[in-house]
């Protein structure tokens, strides 16, 4: 009889413990959902504030540009469009395609590292389209699939290969690269780099970071701005 009593007590204890554990589990999941919802709300508010800030800054820059342009015209300092284009393309390699398109690009890098290399194709119809070559040069393949660009502390752009990455031999090793049109994310990154003339470029997918991670040089940043301005002018946006 005593043995049966102990068994019944043990069963009751387990039942109470199991019920309590179940209630605790429900409470835990509910709390986690509330915390996650609040976190999502805060992130959404932060993103909205960032976008609003970017829009205001872009509007101010455009207003300042137009004001300066008007002042230059009044003072007779405005350059002719052809002069501006000649200045922008002075260091570019310009070539003609068999289809009548004109290519505006800078010389390819010859040193090892990761590179973001935009260029411009103006079709026979006169429309200029931005393209970019994503490139990794080194001693061995790294499974290269693109780069991350970080022009400011709170903005990072993930620029990924949209076409198959090719691997070719170089004098010192290999080159992984792809050539593709500039999409919305890439274009936004270029605009922001053009504004601040700086950005960190990194290779994603490398544990602990890559030895090739670095800041863009001033020349690289200015070339991005020049390519953008050339595209805008050729497309009649300036």
């Amino acid at each position: 009889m005593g043995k049966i009593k102990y068994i019944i007590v043990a069963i009751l204890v387990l039942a109470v413990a199991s019920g309590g554990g179940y209630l605790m589990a429900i409470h835990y999941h509910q709390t986690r959902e509330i915390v996650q919802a609040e976190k999502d709300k805060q992130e959404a508010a932060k993103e909205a504030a960032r976008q609003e800030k970017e829009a205001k800054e872009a509007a101010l820059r455009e207003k300042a540009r137009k004001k300066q342009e008007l002042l230059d015209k009044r003072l007779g300092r405005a350059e002719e469009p052809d002069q501006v284009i000649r200045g922008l393309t002075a260091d570019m390699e310009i070539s003609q395609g068999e289809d009548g398109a004109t290519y505006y690009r800078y010389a390819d890098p010859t040193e090892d590292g990761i590179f973001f290399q935009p260029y411009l194709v103006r079709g026979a119809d006169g429309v200029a389209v931005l393209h970019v070559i994503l490139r990794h040069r080194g001693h061995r393949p790294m499974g290269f699939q693109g780069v991350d660009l970080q022009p400011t502390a709170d903005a990072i752009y993930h620029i990924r290969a949209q076409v198959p990455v090719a691997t070719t031999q170089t004098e010192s090793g290999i080159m992984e690269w792809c050539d593709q049109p500039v999409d919305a994310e890439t274009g936004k990154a270029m605009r922001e780099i053009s504004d601040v003339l700086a950005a960190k470029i990194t290779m994603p997918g490398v544990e602990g970071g890559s030895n090739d991670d670095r800041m863009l040089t001033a020349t690289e940043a200015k070339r991005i701005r020049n390519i953008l301005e050339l595209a805008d002018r050729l497309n009649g946006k300036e």
Side-chain angles (χ1 to χ4, degrees), residues 141-231:
M142 296 290 291
F144 181 72
Q145 288 296 320
V147 298
D148 287 339
L149 295 173
Q150 186 173 6
T152 61
D154 58 350
I156 184 167
Y157 298 92
H158 308 291
I159 315 302
R160 298 293 178 265
Q162 303 298 324
V163 297
V165 173
T167 302
T168 54
Q169 295 294 317
T170 66
E171 304 82 2
S172 59
I174 59 90
M175 178 171 65
E176 299 171 289
W177 62 280
C178 66
D179 185 337
Q180 61 196 34
V182 167
D183 60 13
E185 178 81 353
T186 308
K188 188 175 180 182
M190 290 174 63
R191 294 286 175 189
E192 190 152 347
I193 292 170
S194 175
D195 288 339
V196 300
L197 288 179
K200 185 175 183 180
I201 180 171
T202 58
M203 187 191 304
V206 180
E207 187 175 353
S210 167
N211 291 333
D212 293 318
D213 295 349
R214 62 185 177 86
M215 295 296 294
L216 292 180
T217 65
T219 298
E220 287 176 303
K222 288 178 181 177
R223 286 179 172 181
I224 290 172
R225 183 171 65 180
N226 288 348
I227 287 288
L228 281 173
E229 185 175 349
L230 179 61

Side-chain angles (χ1 to χ4, degrees), residues 116-156:
F116 177 87
Q117 186 182 0
Y119 69 96
L120 195 62
V121 180
R122 190 183 194 190
D125 58 0
V127 178
V129 179
L130 290 165
H131 292 250
V132 65
I133 297 174
L134 306 175
R135 194 188 305 268
H136 163 245
R137 289 177 59 103
H139 297 295
R140 61 185 179 86
M142 296 290 291
F144 181 72
Q145 288 296 320
V147 298
D148 287 339
L149 295 173
Q150 186 173 6
T152 61
D154 58 350
I156 184 167

Side-chain angles (χ1 to χ4, degrees), residues 25-57:
I26 292 176
H27 178 70
Y28 169 75
H29 286 295
Q30 288 177 339
T31 302
R32 188 172 66 173
E33 288 174 359
I34 292 171
V35 171
Q36 185 61 47
E38 183 62 27
K39 184 178 179 181
D40 291 343
K41 183 179 178 181
Q42 291 175 356
E43 289 294 328
K46 183 179 178 181
E47 178 63 18
R50 187 181 71 81
Q51 291 180 0
E52 183 180 1
K53 179 183 176 183
E54 287 181 355
K56 287 181 179 179
E57 290 176 348

Side-chain angles (χ1 to χ4, degrees), residues 15-26:
V16 171
S18 298
Y22 176 71
L23 291 174
M24 287 179 65
I26 292 176

